[in-house]
Amino acid sequence: MTLAIATLWQREVVRFLRQRSRIVGALAQPIVFWLLLGGGLSASFRPAGAAAGSDYLQYFYPGVLALVLLFTAIFSTIAVVEDRRAGFLQGVLVAPVPRAAIVLGQSLGATSLAVLQGALFLVLAPFAGVVLTPERVLATLGAMALVGFGLTNLGLVIAWRMDSTQGFHAVMNLILLPIWFLSGAFFPPEGLPDALVWIMRLDPLTYGVALLRQAMWLGQTVPTGALPSPATGLVVSTVFGLATLAAAVAVARRSATL
């Protein structure tokens, strides 16, 4: 089982490294989002509850980091649909390997890619006013792994049910992008209608984004307003990751694609 997980993990990483366009897109896309969207709104929008001296680019930076993890989950889990169409998934399914090992291998491979891309984007943190220390880097990498693991598993739950990449993109955009928009990555909950505030509280990514912010400003007050406690963020993100993994394994076990 361990060999199967390691093999599928290695396949995900090697496939990513061999696709130059995907590497360039993975690096350039978050930077473009951060500079254009963050820079455009920075002049006219200051997040409610933000500390004096902070700006929207600084507030938006952890949100873009969460977006990196989100996009990685989308592009990595779409490989499940492509593997089914190419016949690779059928070959894996008939092997004497538990479905849980297949899902875990796919999930760990995509999570590793998410952390790798997030780590590259983290290099830009000083330009957002974040002082990087070894402790903060390690804490942020841990938070990225936890958040990326949950998002990837959620993507696998959807991907194992889909037969076409078009349908997969439509469902992912319908589910994952609203999760990101309402996570506090784009705007804070302060000043919003009560209904939206409650939706944001029920959004598991809200706690993941808060965990990323707290990891970046480890040992210092986060300059972006009130957040859930680190313990709450850690517990919710862990439970979300394990629950989505269990759901992905259950969907894979029911899959009849042979």
Side-chain angles (χ1 to χ4, degrees):
M1 181 171 175
T2 305
L3 179 61
I5 295 173
T7 302
L8 289 170
W9 171 86
Q10 182 183 17
R11 180 175 181 269
E12 293 295 324
V13 175
V14 170
R15 179 162 58 178
F16 172 76
L17 295 177
R18 287 180 176 175
Q19 295 175 334
R20 293 182 181 178
S21 59
R22 192 174 164 189
I23 296 174
V24 173
L27 293 176
Q29 194 172 38
I31 296 174
V32 170
F33 255 81
W34 183 47
L35 293 179
L36 294 185
L37 202 54
L41 292 174
S42 186
S44 56
F45 180 63
R46 185 171 179 273
S54 62
D55 57 20
Y56 188 71
L57 269 177
Q58 186 180 56
Y59 176 87
F60 194 40
Y61 181 80
V64 176
L65 193 54
L67 188 65
V68 172
L69 305 177
L70 180 69
F71 279 154
T72 305
I74 293 175
F75 288 116
S76 296
T77 54
I78 199 173
V80 175
V81 182
E82 294 174 347
D83 285 345
R84 179 184 287 116
R85 295 170 65 90
F88 176 82
L89 185 61
Q90 288 85 339
V92 173
L93 290 177
V94 298
V97 177
R99 299 279 172 102
I102 298 173
V103 173
L104 191 57
Q106 293 171 329
S107 177
L108 292 179
T111 302
S112 299
L113 297 178
V115 174
L116 173 63
Q117 294 177 44
L120 293 174
F121 186 66
L122 193 61
V123 174
L124 299 178
F127 294 101
V130 180
V131 179
L132 291 178
T133 64
E135 294 80 9
R136 289 180 177 178
V137 171
L138 289 176
T140 306
L141 291 176
M144 284 193 293
L146 199 55
V147 175
F149 185 66
L151 291 173
T152 300
N153 292 333
L154 182 59
L156 288 173
V157 172
I158 301 169
W160 272 88
R161 293 173 173 271
M162 304 303 295
D163 294 322
S164 71
T165 54
Q166 292 85 354
F168 177 80
H169 276 300
V171 174
M172 294 295 277
N173 289 335
L174 182 65
I175 295 176
L176 289 186
L177 287 181
I179 287 178
W180 177 74
F181 276 116
L182 294 171
S183 68
F186 199 58
F187 49 79
E190 285 84 359
L192 295 179
D194 290 343
L196 273 181
V197 173
W198 273 105
I199 291 174
M200 293 177 73
R201 287 176 181 170
L202 295 174
D203 182 353
L205 190 56
T206 297
Y207 303 90
V209 172
L211 202 59
L212 288 171
R213 294 187 191 281
Q214 287 153 344
M216 286 182 188
W217 279 276
L218 186 67
Q220 182 183 343
T221 302
V222 180
T224 52
L227 296 172
S229 70
T232 302
L234 191 61
V235 169
V236 173
S237 298
T238 302
V239 170
F240 177 67
L242 294 176
T244 50
L245 175 64
V249 171
V251 172
R253 283 175 175 162
R254 289 198 298 268
S255 175
T257 304
L258 291 172

